[in-house]
């Protein structure tokens, strides 16, 4: 089970990440591009769930490289990964933190970071990871 504190700790290990706030929610970005953010459900989101209960616990938004990557990630059916109508046609997924391990969270954060990092920074990181 992962937490927002895990998100902060893992994100801080990635190159040039800064933590800030947007819409009074914690965000993590690389060179000014948000790649992860706290994403509680709005009243409109909750209404769209209808009779189906929304995922419980903290939820994190993560950027994907594009809509194809988003669709591929969701098609994997990984526990804890989902989307909502508000994110239709936007390259991002949501992660139910209490449904994923810290290792899964780290992998997802790295992918989101890579989707937003400048190419030279991403290439340097990948070379260092090998």
């Amino acid at each position: 089970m992962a937490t927002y504190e895990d998100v902060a700790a893992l994100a801080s290990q990635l190159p040039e990440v800064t933590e800030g706030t947007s819409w009074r929610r914690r965000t993590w970005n690389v060179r000014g591009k948000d790649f992860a953010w706290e994403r509680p459900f709005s009243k409109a989101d909750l209404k769209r769930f209808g009779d189906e209960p929304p995922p419980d616990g903290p939820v994190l938004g993560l950027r994907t490289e594009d809509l194809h990557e988003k669709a591929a990630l969701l098609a994997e059916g990984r526990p804890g990964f989902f989307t909502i109508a508000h994110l239709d046609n936007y390259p991002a997924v949501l992660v139910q933190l209490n449904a994923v391990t810290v290792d899964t969270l780290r992998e997802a954060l790295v992918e989101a970071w890579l989707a937003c990092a400048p190419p030279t920074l991403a290439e340097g990181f990948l070379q260092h990871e090998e």
Side-chain angles (χ1 to χ4, degrees):
M1 178 171 146
T3 66
Y4 284 134
E5 293 315 308
D6 293 322
V7 173
L10 293 167
S12 71
Q13 295 172 7
L14 296 168
E16 299 190 32
V17 169
T18 57
E19 182 177 328
T21 57
S22 179
W23 299 92
R24 290 180 263 147
R25 308 278 188 245
R26 288 168 84 179
T27 61
W28 293 269
N29 67 68
V30 56
R31 292 198 187 167
K33 292 182 77 176
D34 292 347
F35 67 91
W37 58 92
E38 291 180 342
R39 183 48 171 89
F41 297 120
S42 68
K43 289 179 184 178
D45 294 331
L46 294 172
K47 187 175 182 178
R48 287 185 198 106
F49 279 103
D51 293 336
E52 181 182 330
D56 65 336
V59 173
L60 182 72
L62 290 175
R63 284 291 303 266
T64 59
E65 185 175 337
D66 55 32
L67 292 173
H68 297 292
E69 183 182 331
K70 173 183 181 173
L73 178 62
L74 294 171
E76 290 176 18
R78 296 167 66 176
F81 289 76
F82 66 102
T83 191
I84 57 175
H86 183 77
L87 295 178
D88 285 352
N89 298 313
Y90 187 74
V93 296
L94 299 178
V95 180
Q96 182 185 5
L97 291 179
N98 62 7
V100 299
T101 66
V102 173
D103 287 341
T104 298
L105 174 60
R106 181 185 189 286
E107 180 183 318
L109 278 168
V110 167
E111 289 301 317
W113 180 89
L114 288 169
C116 293
T120 55
L121 186 61
E123 289 167 14
F125 172 77
L126 291 172
Q127 287 175 356
H128 182 265
E129 286 289 293
E130 291 178 352

